[in-house]
Amino acid sequence: RFPGYCSPSEGVKFADIPNGLAAISKVPAAGWTQWFLFLGLIEKGIYTFDPTRAPGDYKNAGVLGVPNGSTMTPGEGRNRKLNSELANGRLAMMAIIGMFFQDGLTGSAWGDWSNYTDSPLRAFENELGVQAPVGYFDPMGMSKDGDLKTFRRRRESELKNGRVAMFATMGFIAPEYFRFPGYLSPAKEIKFADVPNGLAALGKVPLTGWIQILVFCGMVD
């Protein structure tokens, strides 16, 4: 931490400011105003959009956007470094959101999930299907009220939809290697071999065929 005061007038030392999202309420409003003004000056004074230049290549900024006048020689090395910057930037955007999320729930970006006392894990953490690394998967917290009846209905729906999805996956793969002989629709003279794979089959199967499929699914359900 920096020594001294973040806000002498408020008597707030740098050592008094907690890490993470908890610092938002600790820093005085005048401090946040200074931050936004500084960021605005940087955005409008250095990182000025120029349609004649490549994305991220600002006239007043150097390598990595640092305003020190540095440049990189065009070539394979420059392209590799720019690709690395894009990849690392994407990872950093995901990482900071994850750190915000964990900080907000546990009190620290590195916090133990056991500190998340409102976690839906508390309701059904010992049920079948709770598996590492996500544990009890309920990102929207729909089961944190502990309603057993609702949980069982949703678990039944999950199992049923999962079984249908497994059959659907096999249904997508099987036609790539195997087709039934003969006709799918003798009246329309459509052979199984004439039906394309995947979603293109939707427009090839006759309406009566879809009705039969839906009636069969309804009977099974």
Side-chain angles (χ1 to χ4, degrees), residues 63-202:
V63 177
L64 296 176
V66 179
N68 58 7
S70 60
T71 59
M72 285 192 293
T73 304
E76 184 60 32
R78 179 177 181 272
N79 292 339
R80 178 176 56 80
K81 291 177 181 178
L82 290 175
N83 280 327
S84 298
E85 180 186 15
L86 285 169
N88 292 335
R90 291 164 183 165
L91 177 61
M93 287 187 283
M94 296 294 293
I96 192 62
I97 294 300
M99 293 168 75
F100 284 160
F101 184 77
Q102 187 161 353
D103 188 297
L105 295 178
T106 68
S108 169
W110 327 108
D112 190 330
W113 282 108
S114 63
N115 295 330
Y116 178 24
T117 56
D118 292 330
S119 172
L121 294 173
R122 300 289 183 270
F124 304 106
E125 60 185 353
N126 295 318
E127 289 288 339
L128 187 68
V130 178
Q131 302 173 25
V134 297
Y136 178 58
F137 186 73
D138 184 16
M140 297 182 67
M142 298 176 68
S143 301
K144 66 180 180 181
D145 58 3
D147 189 322
L148 183 59
K149 183 177 180 181
T150 303
F151 168 78
R152 290 188 179 279
R153 178 178 61 79
R154 290 175 177 153
R155 175 52 54 86
E156 181 178 341
S157 299
E158 180 186 18
L159 287 167
K160 186 183 294 183
N161 292 337
R163 291 164 182 167
V164 170
M166 287 187 282
F167 277 116
T169 301
M170 290 189 293
F172 252 69
I173 296 173
E176 298 286 345
Y177 304 98
F178 171 79
R179 296 295 180 91
F180 288 109
Y183 287 86
L184 168 68
S185 174
K188 300 267 187 190
E189 295 187 349
I190 300 175
K191 296 180 179 180
F192 285 104
D194 298 331
V195 180
N197 295 338
L199 297 178
L202 294 175

